[in-house]
Amino acid sequence: MTILDTRTPIPDYFIAGATGDWEMVIGLEVHAQVTSRSKLFSASSTQFGEPPNANVSFIDAAMPGMLPVINEECVHQAIRTGLGLKAKINTRSLFDRKNYFYPDLPQGYQISQFKDPIVGEGEVHLDMGEKIGIVTVGIERLHLEQDAGKSIHDLDPSMSFVDLNRSGVALMEIVSKPDIRSSAEARAYITKLRTILRYLGTCDGNMEQGSLRADINVSVRRPGGEFGTRCEIKNVNSVRFAGQAIEYEARRQIDILEDGGEVIQQTRLFDPKSGETRAMRSKEEAHDYRYFPDPDLLPLEFDQALVDRLAADLPELPDEKQARLIRDYGITTYDASVLVADRASADFYESVAKGRDGKLAANWVINDLFGRLAKEGLDVTNSPVSAEQLGRIIDLIVGGDISGKIAKELFEIVWSEGGDPAEIVESRGMKQVSDTGAIEKIVDEIIAANPEQAAKVKDKPSMIGWFVGQVMKASQGKANPKAVNEILRAKLGL
Ligand code: ADP
Ligand code: MG
């Protein structure tokens, strides 16, 4: 198979070796657990965290004579995901048996899709920042397959156990083209894919629970040159580990090549403790699995009408949402990217920003609210300050009722005590003083108390800042700064 290289080498990504520069080539196979109440071919529950072997039917345990029946919802989820990846949906696909032995695989084969997957080519866009821009990573395919069970070796020194709760759970394997060129891009790709899946509601993206895991193929080459031999790092379950594993693996391959050696195609494991990858087994080939069509299952066929119906019901996806937020609310690309990182954040922002100054709303949501939430380990879904309350705080600023500084205090009060922001401002006397008479009185007092400074300010007009500070302090931050400035200038003869 010849692989088309669609990327122009980016010098920022080059790795300096003893003999010159190198470039990474990376392709990912991501396993995403389908969000569905029951398994791919049985009615067993997919509930996480149940006692071992609680969710196991005769089909999942591969009892002789059992017949798999496809779960319609899992098919719909795969189609939705394909649509979200702008991919070709194949209205006819086939299930194959991938044969291998493992104690946690009682069937002796995994039902998967090989030659004819349910989803074909698509793409994912990564925003790599101002300098590098938007990078497109091609999707090769997405297919449905069963998960295996789990062997447990650490409960007893002389026995191993098998938990089949996972056996038969539906997975989507999403295979990228070898279009990724750095560990930063690989991390961005996993993150973006997870965001898209979560928006679609087709996978919860929970990497700690194993709902999303990546097999990472890494090779190195001279910039823009021929692809090198790759190694595959299995089952990486965190974005950070993915970055570390790639950096280590690329360096390992470069050292081998610069020593005059050859990279051996291998399956490797990443050890987060040492930060290293180590060999697990030599690479298996497709023929080792003796794939063949599963005689228990008919070809999977559906009408284009089903695809169209699911497409019509698709939620707005992150890229589209980002473009719309920039357009409708006039916020920066960066702010929009922060807001669309998850759907709840974007929704929260929109409830605050609707009918208000979009930029001011973005500042408050991202800097004040998200900053505070992160500090407390909370997320936007359990924010002590609601979108409505934050919107009211912004209204009070824009309406000239409170200064930006008082608004921060008000935010703190609403955060810890709750309540209606306008009432708090009223009852605690936090209202900004715009009444010129009251401000004039304070200004007169300050000038009278500081005759030396008042004399000097004519020669050194920048000293007015000091006076503004004094007046603001005397008014406990409540004086309208604009009015203070004007009155001071008039009274000091500036
Ligand atoms: P297999 O099924 O044997 O693992 P595939 O051709 O399906 O092989 O490729 C698996 C993954 O490896 C894909 O994500 C692909 O992009 C990636 N890949 C292919 N060639 C290379 C390469 N030279 N370097 C890095 N990744 C590669
Ligand atoms: Mg593979």
Side-chain angles (χ1 to χ4, degrees):
M1 181 180 66
T2 46
I3 305 173
L4 279 179
D5 185 0
T6 54
R7 303 276 314 263
T8 313
I10 295 175
D12 288 63
Y13 291 156
F14 294 174
I15 306 169
T19 59
D21 285 339
W22 297 88
E23 188 187 24
M24 298 183 195
V25 172
I26 302 162
L28 267 70
E29 298 160 274
V30 169
H31 289 92
Q33 183 178 326
V34 175
T35 299
S36 152
R37 295 224 302 276
S38 47
K39 297 184 180 180
L40 184 54
F41 298 113
S42 83
S44 310
S45 166
T46 57
Q47 183 66 43
F48 180 80
E50 295 284 282
N53 297 305
N55 298 339
V56 186
S57 71
F58 288 139
I59 292 178
D60 312 321
M63 288 295 146
M66 293 297 116
L67 279 176
V69 177
I70 185 82
N71 176 344
E72 189 178 33
E73 177 58 13
C74 295
V75 173
H76 291 186
Q77 293 288 56
I79 297 172
R80 286 188 187 103
T81 307
L83 291 168
L85 300 173
K86 320 284 183 222
K88 178 170 186 296
I89 309 298
N90 297 321
T91 52
R92 184 178 198 273
S93 64
L94 293 176
F95 284 106
D96 297 284
R97 290 186 178 179
K98 181 181 184 180
N99 300 281
Y100 65 96
F101 172 83
Y102 215 76
D104 58 23
L105 184 78
Q107 278 172 165
Y109 57 85
Q110 176 192 33
I111 304 179
S112 181
Q113 298 192 298
F114 183 53
K115 283 214 181 71
D116 298 290
I118 183 167
V119 176
E121 291 187 337
E123 57 188 41
V124 170
H125 302 284
L126 312 178
D127 184 351
M128 296 311 297
E130 235 160 75
K131 195 159 169 221
I132 291 167
I134 305 286
V135 161
T136 300
V137 175
I139 298 293
E140 180 71 44
R141 58 191 269 141
L142 174 157
H143 64 255
L144 279 168
E145 64 183 27
Q146 300 174 299
D147 205 349
K150 196 168 86 181
S151 299
I152 303 161
H153 306 294
D154 53 6
L155 285 181
D156 187 286
S158 60
M159 273 192 284
S160 282
F161 297 86
V162 173
D163 176 6
L164 295 180
N165 279 350
R166 258 208 152 91
S167 167
V169 164
L171 300 178
M172 297 179 281
E173 179 168 336
I174 303 166
V175 182
S176 87
K177 301 200 175 186
D179 287 347
I180 298 167
R181 293 290 176 270
S182 70
S183 61
E185 287 188 357
R187 282 188 279 117
Y189 172 77
I190 299 172
T191 308
K192 184 63 176 283
L193 197 57
R194 183 175 59 186
T195 303
I196 294 172
L197 295 169
R198 284 180 169 163
Y199 266 66
L200 291 165
T202 57
C203 168
D204 66 26
N206 200 329
M207 296 189 85
E208 306 84 68
Q209 292 179 5
S211 304
L212 193 77
R213 40 201 208 261
D215 297 344
I216 307 172
N217 296 271
V218 181
S219 65
V220 296
R221 63 169 177 177
R222 294 299 183 183
E226 293 261 307
F227 280 157
T229 304
R230 70 189 143 114
C231 284
E232 179 174 353
I233 310 160
K234 274 282 176 201
N235 262 326
V236 179
N237 66 352
S238 108
V239 176
R240 192 162 56 89
F241 293 164
Q244 291 171 353
I246 291 168
E247 289 295 330
Y248 176 87
E249 180 59 21
R251 183 42 77 177
R252 186 187 72 86
Q253 293 181 15
I254 291 169
D255 289 347
I256 292 174
L257 294 171
E258 293 199 320
D259 271 354
E262 242 178 86
V263 174
I264 304 163
Q265 191 167 340
Q266 253 174 358
T267 301
R268 301 178 67 86
L269 275 183
F270 176 67
D271 177 3
K273 279 200 202 89
S274 63
E276 296 174 359
T277 65
R278 61 190 145 73
M280 186 164 107
R281 57 173 187 250
S282 67
K283 170 74 183 161
E284 70 289 343
E285 300 289 342
H287 60 249
D288 295 329
Y289 291 115
R290 202 169 60 86
Y291 278 100
F292 65 89
D294 192 313
D296 288 342
L297 289 157
L298 289 168
L300 177 59
E301 288 178 305
F302 45 82
D303 294 334
Q304 182 59 34
L306 171 68
V307 181
D308 296 342
R309 185 161 61 74
L310 294 170
D313 285 343
L314 234 48
E316 183 181 38
L317 291 169
D319 287 349
E320 286 83 36
K321 201 185 272 294
Q322 183 175 1
R324 186 175 58 77
L325 293 187
I326 294 168
R327 199 173 61 233
D328 290 0
Y329 297 98
I331 58 179
T332 62
T333 306
Y334 176 77
D335 281 356
S337 75
V338 172
L339 293 168
V340 302
D342 67 275
R343 218 165 137 176
S345 297
D347 287 349
F348 190 100
Y349 167 73
E350 282 209 77
S351 338
V352 176
K354 205 155 265 161
R356 299 195 172 91
D357 179 336
K359 281 193 190 132
L360 188 59
N363 274 340
W364 274 90
V365 170
I366 295 171
N367 301 329
D368 297 270
L369 183 72
F370 290 178
R372 189 68 209 268
L373 288 170
K375 216 162 86 193
E376 308 284 337
L378 295 170
D379 72 69
V380 72
T381 57
N382 43 31
S383 167
V385 177
S386 70
E388 204 187 342
Q389 287 169 317
L390 188 53
R392 294 226 180 113
I393 294 176
I394 293 172
D395 290 342
L396 291 165
I397 304 170
V398 173
D401 293 307
I402 54 172
S403 64
K405 188 162 165 286
I406 293 286
K408 310 260 170 190
E409 284 173 34
L410 176 61
F411 177 82
E412 277 306 310
I413 295 170
V414 176
W415 175 281
S416 47
E417 300 171 30
D420 175 39
E423 271 170 29
I424 295 170
V425 165
E426 203 59 56
S427 66
R428 306 205 186 183
M430 295 167 82
K431 246 201 168 111
Q432 176 161 268
V433 180
S434 297
D435 165 12
T436 44
I439 297 174
E440 267 181 46
K441 196 167 154 266
I442 303 175
V443 168
D444 288 339
E445 282 165 15
I446 299 280
I447 292 177
N450 301 283
E452 271 174 45
Q453 275 87 342
K456 271 192 239 155
V457 75
K458 277 219 184 68
D459 302 324
K460 218 179 149 213
S462 63
M463 264 182 67
I464 185 139
W466 180 84
F467 278 98
V468 173
Q470 296 301 306
V471 177
M472 292 307 289
K473 207 159 132 194
S475 75
Q476 289 160 322
K478 284 184 286 188
N480 179 330
K482 199 163 150 264
V484 171
N485 239 296
E486 280 165 13
I487 294 168
L488 267 170
R489 279 179 190 282
K491 300 237 172 205
L492 290 168
L494 291 174

